[in-house]
Amino acid sequence: MKYHLPPFLIASLLSFSSWAQLSVQNLTVENLSNPIGIDRAQPRFSWQLNSDKQNVKQTAYEISVRSGKKLVWSTGKISSENSLRIPYGGANLESDSKYTWQVKVWDNQTKTPALATSNFQTAMMRHDEWKAQWINSGIEADSVNGIVPHLRKTFEVKKPIASATVFVTSRGLYEASLNGKRVGDTFLTPGWTSYNKHLQYQTYDVTKQLSTGKNAVGVTLGSGWYRTKLAWENHKNLYGKETALLFQLHIKYADGSEDWIVSDNSWKSTTSHILFSEIYDGERQDLRKEIKGWDLANFDDSKWQNVKIASFATDYLNASVNEPIKKHETFKPVKVLTSPKGETILDFGQNVVGWVKFKISGKAGQMIKLYHVEMLDKHGVPYFENLRSAKAQAHYVLSGEPNQTIEPHFTFFGFRYVKVEGLEGKINPEDFTAVTLYSDMKPLGSFECSNPMVNQLQKNIQWGQRGNFLDVPTDCPQRDERLGWTGDAEVFSRTAAYNFNVNQFFAKWLKDVTADQEPDGAIPFVIPNVLGKVTGAAGWSDAGIIIPYNMYVVYGDKQILQDQYASMKAYLNHVRGLAKNDLWNMGFQFADWLSYRVDDSKSAIGQKSAVTDVYLVAQCFYAYNIELMIKAAKVLQKNEEVADYEALLQRVKKAFQQEFMTASGRLISETQTAYILALQFDMLPESLRQNAVNRLVENIKSYEYHLTTGFLGTPFLNPVLTRYGQNDVAYKLLLQDTYPSWLYPIKSHGATTIWERWDSMKPDSTFQDPGMTSFNHYAYGAVGDWMYRTIAGIDTKEADGAGYKLSVIKPELGGGLTFAKGSYLTPYGKIASNWKIEGDWLTLEIEVPANTESTVYFPTSDISSIKNNGVALTDLKQEGKWISKTFGSGKYAFTMKIR
Ligand code: RAM
């Protein structure tokens, strides 16, 4: 029997089945999903295609943007493969407005377009829309830290509300509430920027938090980075003495009218129960002094005092561009320990950044003290010395109220262990929770292989990133430092970009690089700069060029390059000015910071230190900067600059060869780092490179396959070995588990994060110099980049391929690994590379995102054995030891004989 379906039904079934194969997902505006608070005039729209089919390419798109039902922009159907960051081109966006946007996408495989819709909400599009005035508490003692005031105001809502939006920032840190309920789920806002030059405000939709009748807004102001002690020598009040608030609530009523509730002299203030709060030292609260209901409408504030108007500007404020700090993973204690001194210590099992929240029913006046440390010494005693002057304590005087839940507000700690004092009776570990705090970056990458210690290394790298990506990329989260060291951020930036989406995180931080750049182009050692004027140091200040370029490569975001280009150029010119006869051989340099020294550890290997001449390092980075400027200038089509930079690069390399190299290619420093940098940046004549590789390998062997590199050599160590066919040596270094090596801290001391020094804890379980030894420092974690790129083999091409439009899957087998699995959410969607060895055979399963292509390099010399789902492949290319072919999107399962 035949069924005759009506033509419309056939058409709709067909269209349904084709629709089912293509979908559009992960819509973003300004690289954020459903953002609230966009103040860019032409925000950029992106989306991803998802399809079960192979070789999917977008052929056209159509974006439409609506305000309510009103169409404010439509691109019409545009024939294009572009799916990332298409700038808005419609009528001026209005402030504080919700927009929905839709994208329709056609591809080369499906008949019907796919559709998806998303939203964004604007912030204030113009500076002159600030009606609010800066206010501070007006409390006499409120300067030079100490006081944490509450500020409040009541207001009437008389009509039904259509929407209500808060715009708020502070000099200091704020926590805001409406009618007793917290505004937003963000912490330590507005984050840390170079406050006097660059300050972000946050936007919150509070429509549901208002009610008809009397309402109240409450804000607590902490000192934060603004006036807390920062860096050394008791530097306080770096940005100002008095904290201040800028608050604007915009209410749109259902009848079309509107109203603003703003910070002004009608607000009232008083001191809170938070008696003290500082970044390094922690927080003190007296819960007996807590003012119940202080942020509710019916609270009697007649005894509170009037606030003062502060005279700060509003014309330099911008809406936040990055993800705010939020709470993330929580940990319960894995053990309760008693130290030899009888102290009670909670072990949370993971070195984290955040604070401890706990439940307690205590007596009025009872004092609970929490002391945060990263390590216990070999006797089980909490190790405080590496905190230097940071107290890192939380003190609470209890009110006697039962079942209180307590946590700090305006500080954070780097810790795994917490010493608890003041409890009565037996501690119940279940009452304590370590809460992690970090910038709300979305996870992008995962990596796993058959070696459990390497997997732990990957975990440690990611924890190092979580702990130190707290609005700014910090060097360490525990001692009296926690600064945005440029060198650390620079060496780790590629790895960071694999682990999490740091596009906006760095876009924001780079604004501070520009803000704090000296008029002569020098870039400070730390950003925001709290260390004073500098002339610039190789590998550190160079972050101003290296990070924007890296972000462009991995995310394909040209805007970052465009925004930073003037700063990048000014910095290169500055270095050019410092260099004499094209040699950057003057001034202070950190160079290959914390490289191996014989006297560092009792179990010295090789008996020679690995200190590299600081100017040799600087010259290599000078060349690196120029190389990136050439690439950036090409991307931005600044063609006239390219020729100049190219000529400069040749001269800089020549100068290097004359100054640091003998005729046979021996370098003045016979260290791993010297050869690594010279090879990485092509500083040597081609004919001498193989000799240099041999010397590098000999050197590594002379240290019995241990690395001896510091901050600047380490990121390029394994990449250089891989590039020059020494992958087995790279794997040996990766898998080395005695000091100095990546796995030593894991094998010998159960590390859960990356350490500042290769032997922050020495083989004999004593500590390195407490003057500088952190257990949560991501720089050496820069090997993560190599693990993704080389073991899993996932990488992007540069130039036209940036952002994984054209990617590479090129896994290097070795190290006895029997499998590796890597995946990464590129701006186009997921790329994956999973390989497994069984006997003489390798399976390689890959996934290539729609609208992209990937060149796959098969790690075999047996060309005829390569099959895709059992079918032989044609058009394979032989490139050196590799066989390659370029594939369109989709999933593929390859098999090949490898032995
Ligand atoms: C210390 C830290 C930091 C490094 C500087 C040079 O403060 O190790 O990570 O960048 O020195």
Side-chain angles (χ1 to χ4, degrees):
M1 199 172 123
K2 272 191 176 171
Y3 288 90
H4 290 281
L5 295 177
F8 79 88
L9 196 53
I10 296 177
S12 74
L13 282 175
L14 276 177
S15 87
F16 178 75
S17 65
S18 53
W19 173 83
Q21 285 151 359
L22 176 72
S23 60
V24 192
Q25 60 189 26
N26 293 340
L27 274 59
T28 60
V29 179
E30 284 303 304
N31 301 321
L32 302 166
S33 51
N34 296 313
I36 292 185
I38 294 289
D39 69 352
R40 201 181 182 107
Q42 267 110 33
R44 297 162 302 150
F45 301 98
S46 310
W47 57 89
Q48 296 175 358
L49 277 62
N50 188 28
S51 169
D52 297 339
K53 295 192 173 178
Q54 289 184 338
N55 302 313
V56 172
K57 277 274 168 78
Q58 177 180 296
T59 54
Y61 70 83
E62 180 175 343
I63 302 174
S64 49
V65 179
R66 287 189 160 70
S67 164
K69 289 201 175 117
K70 191 171 145 221
L71 182 70
V72 294
W73 185 48
S74 170
T75 56
K77 185 173 173 181
I78 309 250
S79 295
S80 165
E81 267 184 36
N82 287 349
S83 56
L84 297 186
R85 308 182 190 91
I86 314 290
Y88 175 75
N92 286 351
L93 294 172
E94 285 181 23
S95 293
D96 189 18
S97 294
K98 294 190 173 92
Y99 292 89
T100 47
W101 70 284
Q102 189 184 60
V103 63
K104 205 187 243 187
V105 170
W106 289 261
D107 76 334
N108 56 350
Q109 305 275 344
T110 325
K111 292 212 175 62
T112 344
L115 265 184
T117 306
S118 190
N119 304 300
F120 67 98
Q121 185 175 336
T122 50
M124 278 188 264
M125 303 306 286
R126 297 192 323 270
H127 290 129
D128 63 11
E129 292 173 275
W130 281 104
K131 296 174 191 299
Q133 291 173 290
W134 281 102
I135 53 174
N136 53 41
S137 71
I139 298 167
E140 209 173 310
D142 186 4
S143 69
V144 200
N145 202 18
I147 303 281
V148 178
H150 285 324
L151 282 68
R152 66 173 256 125
K153 174 179 174 73
T154 54
F155 56 97
E156 290 281 335
V157 172
K158 293 189 184 130
K159 297 183 275 189
I161 284 177
S163 73
T165 312
V166 162
F167 306 93
V168 55
T169 190
S170 55
R171 297 172 71 93
L173 301 178
Y174 71 83
E175 275 185 7
S177 63
L178 275 166
N179 299 319
K181 248 190 87 199
R182 199 173 209 289
V183 172
D185 57 353
T186 60
F187 290 82
L188 304 172
T189 42
W192 187 11
T193 54
S194 181
Y195 293 122
N196 292 324
K197 302 172 194 157
H198 170 216
L199 178 57
Q200 301 196 124
Y201 66 89
Q202 287 71 50
T203 308
Y204 304 95
D205 180 353
V206 293
T207 312
K208 296 204 177 96
Q209 279 179 256
L210 296 189
S211 48
T212 318
K214 203 169 173 197
N215 289 263
V217 48
V219 177
T220 309
L221 283 182
S223 296
W225 295 278
Y226 183 75
R227 66 176 181 185
T228 219
K229 161 176 88 184
L230 283 178
W232 311 281
E233 293 154 11
N234 223 6
H235 277 315
K236 288 182 178 169
N237 303 321
L238 280 164
Y239 300 96
K241 281 192 169 178
E242 292 167 342
T243 54
L245 169 72
L246 188 71
F247 178 96
Q248 182 151 316
L249 165 62
H250 183 206
I251 304 176
K252 291 185 184 173
Y253 293 106
D255 66 4
S257 60
E258 53 189 345
D259 205 356
W260 283 267
I261 310 301
V262 301
S263 47
D264 59 17
N265 59 10
S266 67
W267 287 52
K268 296 290 211 62
S269 70
T270 195
T271 51
S272 73
H273 65 285
I274 305 172
L275 306 183
F276 173 88
S277 188
E278 274 218 353
I279 299 286
Y280 296 158
D281 287 347
E283 199 160 294
R284 272 185 249 140
Q285 299 179 16
D286 187 341
L287 294 151
R288 295 171 303 187
K289 300 205 163 113
E290 210 174 358
I291 310 169
K292 296 282 181 200
W294 70 274
D295 49 1
L296 295 177
N298 56 11
F299 178 82
D300 175 10
D301 62 16
S302 55
K303 298 224 169 64
W304 286 32
Q305 72 174 74
N306 295 328
V307 300
K308 258 186 12 210
I309 299 293
S311 58
F312 301 119
T314 51
D315 61 359
Y316 76 117
L317 300 174
N318 284 310
S320 272
V321 298
N322 59 321
E323 297 86 350
I325 295 170
K326 289 196 176 177
K327 288 183 171 174
H328 292 93
E329 296 85 347
T330 56
F331 291 85
K332 288 285 178 194
V334 291
K335 277 186 214 141
V336 180
L337 306 165
T338 306
S339 81
K341 297 180 181 166
E343 301 151 310
T344 303
I345 299 154
L346 298 173
D347 174 3
F348 288 97
Q350 173 65 51
N351 199 6
V352 295
V353 174
W355 58 51
V356 170
K357 181 171 172 167
F358 64 102
K359 272 195 314 212
I360 191 158
S361 300
K363 289 190 199 130
Q366 185 180 342
M367 166 89 102
I368 306 294
K369 288 187 183 175
L370 306 184
Y371 302 78
H372 305 75
V373 294
E374 294 183 289
M375 295 294 272
L376 305 180
D377 71 13
K378 57 182 171 187
H379 308 293
V381 176
Y383 181 62
F384 290 106
E385 284 80 347
N386 74 326
L387 303 179
R388 301 195 305 220
S389 77
K391 293 200 175 62
Q393 296 173 20
H395 293 189
Y396 305 97
V397 180
L398 303 183
S399 63
E401 200 181 304
N403 285 321
Q404 282 207 298
T405 300
I406 303 177
E407 65 185 329
H409 294 261
F410 300 114
T411 188
F412 63 90
F413 308 102
F415 64 100
R416 169 175 167 171
Y417 303 94
V418 170
K419 174 175 124 178
V420 184
E421 263 182 22
L423 286 181
E424 290 182 359
K426 203 167 170 260
I427 191 164
N428 178 5
E430 275 306 299
D431 290 340
F432 292 80
T433 309
V435 180
T436 62
L437 289 162
Y438 54 87
S439 288
D440 194 27
M441 327 164 269
K442 298 284 169 281
L444 295 183
S446 71
F447 173 87
E448 198 195 332
C449 69
S450 57
N451 185 311
M453 279 218 283
V454 175
N455 295 340
Q456 184 65 43
L457 175 65
Q458 165 69 5
K459 280 194 192 136
N460 294 3
I461 294 169
Q462 293 195 328
W463 274 107
Q465 181 166 355
R466 291 187 183 97
N468 284 295
F469 274 54
L470 195 92
D471 209 54
V472 300
T474 58
D475 64 326
C476 59
Q478 72 298 84
R479 67 180 180 224
D480 54 352
E481 190 159 343
R482 314 186 198 184
L483 303 179
W485 281 97
T486 44
D488 308 45
E490 174 267 296
V491 299
F492 190 63
S493 57
R494 275 296 293 258
T495 305
Y498 270 117
N499 290 326
F500 292 92
N501 191 337
V502 293
N503 196 345
Q504 293 309 114
F505 179 88
F506 277 121
K508 173 252 179 191
W509 184 72
L510 288 165
K511 284 177 198 269
D512 290 305
V513 168
T514 309
D516 282 347
Q517 188 163 16
E518 298 290 342
D520 65 5
I523 293 181
F525 301 150
V526 298
I527 299 288
N529 185 18
V530 294
L531 297 182
K533 188 168 162 45
V534 294
T535 56
W540 267 254
S541 308
D542 305 350
I545 289 179
I546 299 169
I547 296 182
Y549 187 74
N550 278 348
M551 293 305 110
Y552 161 70
V553 170
V554 292
Y555 299 123
D557 187 352
K558 268 191 203 167
Q559 190 67 47
I560 268 195
L561 277 189
Q562 219 139 29
D563 291 349
Q564 294 307 123
Y565 193 76
S567 149
M568 294 161 74
K569 198 171 150 182
Y571 175 65
L572 188 69
N573 278 339
H574 171 71
V575 175
R576 225 168 153 166
L578 295 176
K580 294 283 160 294
N581 301 322
D582 300 313
L583 266 183
W584 186 5
N585 62 354
M586 58 82 61
F588 171 77
Q589 299 290 343
F590 296 107
D592 196 27
W593 190 243
L594 303 184
S595 59
Y596 172 75
R597 284 167 191 269
V598 175
D599 51 3
D600 275 352
S601 173
K602 285 185 184 140
S603 69
I605 39 129
Q607 298 305 319
K608 52 183 187 223
S609 287
V611 180
T612 309
D613 182 273
V614 298
Y615 297 124
L616 182 155
V617 173
Q619 189 72 358
C620 290
F621 273 81
Y622 187 13
Y624 183 22
N625 286 324
I626 302 165
E627 189 193 316
L628 296 188
M629 286 306 288
I630 293 170
K631 291 180 177 177
K634 284 186 181 163
V635 173
L636 299 178
Q637 294 176 344
K638 310 224 177 240
N639 300 330
E640 63 301 348
E641 282 158 37
V642 172
D644 173 38
Y645 291 145
E646 277 174 346
L648 176 64
L649 182 58
Q650 291 322 312
R651 296 201 302 273
V652 163
K653 289 184 181 175
K654 261 256 123 45
F656 174 90
Q657 292 162 11
Q658 280 161 3
E659 185 76 6
F660 302 111
M661 190 191 88
T662 68
S664 69
R666 186 180 290 276
L667 297 177
I668 61 157
S669 300
E670 286 277 344
T671 61
Q672 293 173 12
T673 290
Y675 287 102
I676 292 160
L677 297 182
L679 287 163
Q680 171 73 23
F681 303 121
D682 301 332
M683 304 303 283
L684 305 173
E686 263 188 72
S687 59
L688 297 178
R689 290 184 194 165
Q690 191 52 48
N691 272 343
V693 174
N694 298 344
R695 288 199 170 100
L696 171 61
V697 172
E698 279 314 308
N699 181 303
I700 294 169
K701 284 185 184 159
S702 76
Y703 287 100
E704 297 157 26
Y705 290 99
H706 289 84
L707 48 69
T708 62
T709 49
F711 277 27
L712 296 188
T714 302
F716 304 113
L717 169 57
N718 277 7
V720 160
L721 290 167
T722 298
R723 173 175 164 198
Y724 284 98
Q726 300 292 336
N727 216 44
D728 52 333
V729 180
Y731 266 112
K732 277 194 177 137
L733 290 175
L734 177 74
L735 300 180
Q736 177 60 261
D737 58 15
T738 55
Y739 167 77
S741 68
W742 283 291
L743 298 187
Y744 155 74
I746 297 172
K747 172 93 184 285
S748 299
H749 302 296
T752 60
T753 34
I754 302 293
W755 297 351
E756 179 172 21
R757 299 175 184 256
W758 294 119
D759 62 346
S760 285
M761 184 177 243
K762 297 185 183 188
D764 65 3
S765 295
T766 59
F767 293 100
Q768 248 290 359
D769 177 3
M772 205 182 76
T773 196
S774 144
F775 291 90
N776 199 353
H777 224 85
Y778 49 61
Y780 288 142
V783 67
D785 173 39
W786 180 82
M787 285 156 54
Y788 279 110
R789 266 205 251 195
T790 312
I791 305 182
I794 297 172
D795 198 2
T796 180
K797 292 190 181 169
E798 296 189 25
D800 294 344
Y804 293 81
K805 180 74 177 153
L806 302 175
S807 63
V808 171
I809 295 181
K810 193 177 185 184
E812 293 265 9
L813 314 182
L817 298 185
T818 54
F819 77 83
K821 290 182 187 175
S823 79
Y824 181 62
L825 298 174
T826 76
Y828 294 93
K830 182 173 164 188
I831 188 168
S833 159
N834 298 336
W835 57 260
K836 192 171 175 187
I837 299 172
E838 274 166 321
D840 295 346
W841 289 84
L842 176 83
T843 43
L844 171 64
E845 292 177 351
I846 65 159
E847 195 173 335
V848 179
N851 211 21
T852 73
E853 283 172 19
S854 190
T855 306
V856 181
Y857 291 82
F858 299 104
T860 178
S861 52
D862 189 342
I863 195 162
S864 62
S865 73
I866 307 174
K867 304 239 159 60
N868 171 24
N869 274 320
V871 180
L873 287 173
T874 53
D875 301 327
L876 291 165
K877 269 204 228 153
Q878 181 92 41
E879 287 182 46
K881 69 169 189 172
W882 296 92
I883 297 166
S884 75
K885 183 175 164 87
T886 298
F887 294 87
S889 68
K891 292 184 181 165
Y892 302 85
F894 305 111
T895 48
M896 67 214 76
K897 199 159 183 295
I898 50 165
R899 285 193 262 264

